[in-house]
Amino acid sequence: MAKLQAVIYDLDGVITDTAEYHYLAWKTLAEELHIPFDRSFNEQLKGLSRVDSLEKILAEGTEQYSPTERQRLAEKKNDHYKSLIQEIGPKDLLPGVYQFMLEVKEAGIKTGLASASKNARTVIEKLEITHLLDTVVDAATVERGKPDPEVFLKAAQQLHVEPSQCVGIEDAKSGVTAIKSAGMYAVGVGDEQNLSEADWVISDTSHLSLDRLKEKL
Ligand code: B16
Ligand code: MG
Protein backbone atom coordinates (compact mmCIF):
# COMPACT_ATOMS: atom_id res chain seq x y z
CA MET A 1 0.00 0.00 0.00
CA ALA A 2 1.43 3.38 -1.04
CA LYS A 3 0.18 5.22 2.01
CA LEU A 4 -2.27 4.20 4.68
CA GLN A 5 -5.03 6.81 4.49
CA ALA A 6 -7.85 5.33 6.55
CA VAL A 7 -8.73 2.66 9.07
CA ILE A 8 -12.31 1.41 8.93
CA TYR A 9 -13.57 -0.47 11.96
CA ASP A 10 -16.31 -2.98 12.44
CA LEU A 11 -18.05 -2.37 15.77
CA ASP A 12 -19.34 -5.57 17.24
CA GLY A 13 -16.45 -7.92 18.07
CA VAL A 14 -13.73 -5.39 17.21
CA ILE A 15 -14.40 -2.30 19.33
CA THR A 16 -16.72 -3.87 21.90
CA ASP A 17 -18.33 -7.20 22.53
CA THR A 18 -21.97 -6.43 21.85
CA ALA A 19 -22.01 -9.90 20.24
CA GLU A 20 -22.82 -11.27 23.70
CA TYR A 21 -25.91 -9.04 23.96
CA HIS A 22 -27.03 -9.93 20.42
CA TYR A 23 -26.64 -13.58 21.44
CA LEU A 24 -28.69 -13.19 24.62
CA ALA A 25 -31.43 -11.26 22.83
CA TRP A 26 -31.70 -13.82 19.99
CA LYS A 27 -31.63 -16.69 22.48
CA THR A 28 -34.59 -15.26 24.40
CA LEU A 29 -36.56 -14.91 21.17
CA ALA A 30 -35.61 -18.38 19.90
CA GLU A 31 -36.66 -19.95 23.21
CA GLU A 32 -40.05 -18.23 23.02
CA LEU A 33 -40.46 -19.69 19.54
CA HIS A 34 -39.22 -23.16 20.65
CA ILE A 35 -36.38 -23.03 18.15
CA PRO A 36 -33.05 -24.59 19.23
CA PHE A 37 -30.33 -21.96 19.52
CA ASP A 38 -26.84 -22.07 20.97
CA ARG A 39 -23.51 -20.21 20.85
CA SER A 40 -22.18 -22.19 17.94
CA PHE A 41 -25.25 -21.36 15.82
CA ASN A 42 -24.90 -17.74 16.93
CA GLU A 43 -21.42 -17.63 15.33
CA GLN A 44 -23.10 -17.74 11.92
CA LEU A 45 -25.08 -14.61 12.73
CA LYS A 46 -22.08 -12.40 13.48
CA GLY A 47 -21.90 -9.49 11.06
CA LEU A 48 -25.29 -10.32 9.49
CA SER A 49 -28.07 -7.76 9.53
CA ARG A 50 -31.03 -8.11 11.90
CA VAL A 51 -33.42 -9.40 9.22
CA ASP A 52 -30.88 -11.83 7.79
CA SER A 53 -30.17 -13.17 11.29
CA LEU A 54 -33.90 -13.65 11.93
CA GLU A 55 -34.31 -15.52 8.63
CA LYS A 56 -31.55 -17.94 9.61
CA ILE A 57 -33.10 -18.58 13.03
CA LEU A 58 -36.62 -19.09 11.68
CA ALA A 59 -35.28 -21.54 9.09
CA GLU A 60 -34.31 -23.80 12.04
CA GLY A 61 -37.98 -24.05 13.13
CA THR A 62 -41.06 -25.48 11.45
CA GLU A 63 -43.52 -22.56 11.74
CA GLN A 64 -44.17 -20.16 8.88
CA TYR A 65 -44.35 -16.45 9.70
CA SER A 66 -45.91 -13.66 7.65
CA PRO A 67 -43.83 -10.56 6.80
CA THR A 68 -45.74 -8.60 9.49
CA GLU A 69 -45.02 -11.25 12.10
CA ARG A 70 -41.35 -11.33 11.09
CA GLN A 71 -41.14 -7.59 11.51
CA ARG A 72 -42.70 -7.87 14.96
CA LEU A 73 -40.20 -10.59 15.94
CA ALA A 74 -37.25 -8.48 14.73
CA GLU A 75 -38.57 -5.52 16.77
CA LYS A 76 -38.98 -7.73 19.82
CA LYS A 77 -35.36 -8.88 19.58
CA ASN A 78 -34.22 -5.29 19.12
CA ASP A 79 -36.20 -4.06 22.17
CA HIS A 80 -34.52 -6.71 24.26
CA TYR A 81 -31.10 -5.87 22.79
CA LYS A 82 -31.61 -2.16 23.49
CA SER A 83 -32.42 -2.84 27.11
CA LEU A 84 -29.29 -5.02 27.43
CA ILE A 85 -26.98 -2.31 26.01
CA GLN A 86 -28.20 0.36 28.42
CA GLU A 87 -25.34 -0.34 30.78
CA ILE A 88 -22.54 -0.18 28.16
CA GLY A 89 -19.75 2.28 28.95
CA PRO A 90 -16.01 2.90 28.28
CA LYS A 91 -15.24 -0.11 30.52
CA ASP A 92 -16.66 -2.29 27.73
CA LEU A 93 -14.07 -1.31 25.11
CA LEU A 94 -12.08 -4.40 24.10
CA PRO A 95 -8.43 -4.54 25.28
CA GLY A 96 -6.08 -2.10 23.55
CA VAL A 97 -8.78 -0.67 21.30
CA TYR A 98 -8.95 2.83 22.77
CA GLN A 99 -5.15 3.13 22.63
CA PHE A 100 -5.04 1.95 19.03
CA MET A 101 -7.86 4.25 17.90
CA LEU A 102 -6.11 7.18 19.55
CA GLU A 103 -2.77 6.26 17.95
CA VAL A 104 -4.39 6.12 14.50
CA LYS A 105 -6.18 9.44 14.98
CA GLU A 106 -3.06 11.17 16.28
CA ALA A 107 -1.09 9.88 13.27
CA GLY A 108 -3.49 11.87 11.06
CA ILE A 109 -5.06 8.74 9.55
CA LYS A 110 -8.79 8.99 8.84
CA THR A 111 -11.17 6.69 10.66
CA GLY A 112 -14.59 5.26 9.94
CA LEU A 113 -17.14 2.83 11.32
CA ALA A 114 -18.65 0.18 9.04
CA SER A 115 -21.13 -1.64 11.22
CA ALA A 116 -24.21 -3.57 10.16
CA SER A 117 -25.89 -2.41 13.37
CA LYS A 118 -28.65 0.19 13.36
CA ASN A 119 -27.78 0.73 17.02
CA ALA A 120 -24.15 1.61 16.24
CA ARG A 121 -24.42 5.32 17.04
CA THR A 122 -25.96 4.64 20.44
CA VAL A 123 -23.20 2.16 21.23
CA ILE A 124 -20.30 4.43 20.21
CA GLU A 125 -21.80 7.29 22.22
CA LYS A 126 -22.04 5.07 25.28
CA LEU A 127 -18.43 3.93 24.72
CA GLU A 128 -17.41 7.62 24.48
CA ILE A 129 -15.44 7.16 21.25
CA THR A 130 -17.50 9.29 18.86
CA HIS A 131 -14.63 11.84 18.68
CA LEU A 132 -12.27 9.10 17.43
CA LEU A 133 -14.38 8.40 14.34
CA ASP A 134 -14.48 10.76 11.36
CA THR A 135 -17.44 9.00 9.81
CA VAL A 136 -20.07 6.46 10.71
CA VAL A 137 -22.00 4.64 7.98
CA ASP A 138 -25.68 4.57 8.78
CA ALA A 139 -26.63 0.89 8.49
CA ALA A 140 -30.18 1.93 7.60
CA THR A 141 -28.88 3.37 4.31
CA VAL A 142 -26.96 0.23 3.35
CA GLU A 143 -28.90 -1.94 0.92
CA ARG A 144 -26.74 -5.05 0.93
CA GLY A 145 -25.33 -6.47 4.15
CA LYS A 146 -21.93 -8.09 4.70
CA PRO A 147 -20.37 -10.07 2.95
CA ASP A 148 -21.28 -7.44 0.33
CA PRO A 149 -18.61 -4.69 0.37
CA GLU A 150 -21.16 -1.83 0.30
CA VAL A 151 -20.78 -0.71 3.93
CA PHE A 152 -16.96 -0.54 3.67
CA LEU A 153 -17.06 1.20 0.28
CA LYS A 154 -19.51 3.75 1.66
CA ALA A 155 -17.20 4.49 4.58
CA ALA A 156 -14.24 5.05 2.20
CA GLN A 157 -16.39 7.28 0.01
CA GLN A 158 -17.52 9.36 2.99
CA LEU A 159 -13.85 9.77 3.96
CA HIS A 160 -12.87 10.68 0.36
CA VAL A 161 -10.25 7.91 0.31
CA GLU A 162 -9.55 5.21 -2.28
CA PRO A 163 -10.44 1.71 -0.98
CA SER A 164 -6.92 0.49 -1.88
CA GLN A 165 -5.53 2.95 0.70
CA CYS A 166 -7.80 1.61 3.48
CA VAL A 167 -7.43 -1.00 6.16
CA GLY A 168 -10.60 -2.72 7.40
CA ILE A 169 -10.75 -4.50 10.75
CA GLU A 170 -13.30 -7.28 11.29
CA ASP A 171 -14.06 -10.21 13.58
CA ALA A 172 -16.60 -11.96 11.34
CA LYS A 173 -15.89 -14.12 8.33
CA SER A 174 -18.61 -12.33 6.34
CA GLY A 175 -17.00 -9.02 7.33
CA VAL A 176 -13.52 -10.06 6.17
CA THR A 177 -15.02 -11.12 2.84
CA ALA A 178 -16.69 -7.69 2.60
CA ILE A 179 -13.35 -5.91 3.21
CA LYS A 180 -11.53 -8.01 0.62
CA SER A 181 -14.29 -7.52 -1.97
CA ALA A 182 -14.01 -3.77 -1.32
CA GLY A 183 -10.34 -4.00 -2.36
CA MET A 184 -9.01 -3.11 1.08
CA TYR A 185 -6.35 -4.64 3.34
CA ALA A 186 -8.11 -6.87 5.90
CA VAL A 187 -7.16 -7.33 9.53
CA GLY A 188 -9.06 -10.24 11.11
CA VAL A 189 -9.57 -10.45 14.87
CA GLY A 190 -10.13 -13.99 16.04
CA ASP A 191 -9.55 -17.50 14.83
CA GLU A 192 -6.94 -17.85 12.05
CA GLN A 193 -8.78 -20.70 10.31
CA ASN A 194 -12.14 -18.98 10.34
CA LEU A 195 -10.64 -15.71 9.07
CA SER A 196 -8.17 -17.22 6.59
CA GLU A 197 -9.19 -14.71 3.91
CA ALA A 198 -7.74 -11.83 5.97
CA ASP A 199 -4.29 -10.40 5.17
CA TRP A 200 -3.28 -10.33 8.84
CA VAL A 201 -5.01 -12.23 11.65
CA ILE A 202 -4.55 -11.37 15.31
CA SER A 203 -6.05 -13.51 18.06
CA ASP A 204 -7.48 -10.53 19.97
CA THR A 205 -7.53 -6.74 19.95
CA SER A 206 -4.67 -6.40 22.44
CA HIS A 207 -2.35 -7.15 19.49
CA LEU A 208 -3.46 -4.08 17.55
CA SER A 209 -0.59 -1.67 17.03
CA LEU A 210 -0.07 0.96 14.34
CA ASP A 211 3.63 0.12 14.02
CA ARG A 212 2.91 -3.60 13.51
CA LEU A 213 0.20 -2.77 11.02
CA LYS A 214 2.51 -0.51 8.99
CA GLU A 215 5.13 -3.28 8.91
CA LYS A 216 2.54 -5.66 7.52
CA LEU A 217 1.28 -3.37 4.76
P1 B16 B 1 -28.77 -4.38 14.86
P2 B16 B 1 -21.22 -5.37 13.31
C1 B16 B 1 -23.64 -6.50 13.55
O1 B16 B 1 -22.68 -5.55 13.98
C2 B16 B 1 -23.62 -7.70 14.47
O2 B16 B 1 -22.41 -8.40 14.34
C3 B16 B 1 -24.76 -8.62 14.13
O3 B16 B 1 -24.79 -9.71 15.01
C4 B16 B 1 -26.09 -7.85 14.20
O4 B16 B 1 -27.18 -8.68 13.84
C5 B16 B 1 -26.01 -6.66 13.25
O5 B16 B 1 -24.91 -5.84 13.62
C6 B16 B 1 -27.27 -5.82 13.23
O6 B16 B 1 -27.45 -5.19 14.45
O7 B16 B 1 -29.84 -5.39 15.12
O8 B16 B 1 -28.34 -3.61 16.07
O9 B16 B 1 -29.12 -3.47 13.69
O10 B16 B 1 -20.43 -6.59 13.64
O11 B16 B 1 -21.42 -5.16 11.82
O12 B16 B 1 -20.72 -4.13 14.01
MG1 MG C 1 -18.39 -7.75 13.98
Side-chain angles (χ1 to χ4, degrees):
M1 185 179 295
K3 189 174 185 288
L4 169 59
Q5 304 255 23
V7 175
I8 301 175
Y9 303 92
D10 168 47
L11 176 64
D12 174 22
V14 169
I15 292 180
T16 190
D17 199 8
T18 35
E20 182 63 18
Y21 301 125
H22 282 296
Y23 165 71
L24 293 170
W26 283 127
K27 191 169 167 56
T28 304
L29 185 76
E31 274 168 4
E32 272 175 36
L33 303 175
H34 307 289
I35 294 175
F37 185 80
D38 59 17
R39 283 183 189 276
S40 102
F41 186 80
N42 185 62
E43 282 303 304
Q44 298 177 41
L45 307 182
K46 285 189 177 176
L48 296 190
S49 71
R50 198 181 308 158
V51 285
D52 289 347
S53 303
L54 180 66
E55 291 300 318
K56 268 196 185 284
I57 293 171
L58 295 183
E60 293 296 297
T62 48
E63 291 268 340
Q64 297 299 317
Y65 295 91
S66 69
T68 321
E69 281 169 325
R70 282 167 193 255
Q71 199 182 336
R72 191 186 54 83
L73 293 175
E75 275 167 22
K76 201 168 187 186
K77 180 268 176 177
N78 195 44
D79 287 344
H80 192 201
Y81 176 72
K82 285 201 286 195
S83 67
L84 290 170
I85 60 171
Q86 278 316 306
E87 302 308 315
I88 286 183
K91 62 173 190 335
D92 297 300
L93 283 159
L94 286 170
V97 165
Y98 190 84
Q99 235 1 75
F100 179 74
M101 291 183 84
L102 199 62
E103 221 183 333
V104 170
K105 197 96 219 318
E106 285 176 348
I109 298 163
K110 291 180 180 174
T111 56
L113 191 77
S115 168
S117 174
K118 292 181 179 161
N119 295 294
R121 277 179 199 276
T122 312
V123 175
I124 61 168
E125 274 161 27
K126 286 193 170 288
L127 293 170
E128 298 176 16
I129 54 164
T130 309
H131 63 293
L132 295 175
L133 291 162
D134 297 317
T135 198
V136 174
V137 177
D138 181 355
T141 67
V142 175
E143 281 169 29
R144 298 170 301 275
K146 299 168 188 174
D148 190 281
E150 186 182 1
V151 67
F152 283 95
L153 290 173
K154 231 176 189 165
Q157 199 178 32
Q158 287 174 197
L159 292 169
H160 308 289
V161 169
E162 285 300 318
S164 60
Q165 308 297 297
C166 297
V167 164
I169 311 181
E170 260 289 348
D171 68 310
K173 195 177 167 137
S174 59
V176 169
T177 305
I179 297 173
K180 290 313 295 171
S181 313
M184 299 178 182
Y185 182 94
V187 178
V189 180
D191 179 56
E192 186 122 35
Q193 265 180 347
N194 185 35
L195 306 175
S196 57
E197 218 189 320
D199 298 290
W200 179 32
V201 179
I202 50 175
S203 54
D204 63 75
T205 53
S206 69
H207 299 287
L208 281 171
S209 123
L210 186 55
D211 286 341
R212 274 310 299 285
L213 176 62
K214 282 182 170 167
E215 276 168 31
K216 292 273 173 191
L217 293 177

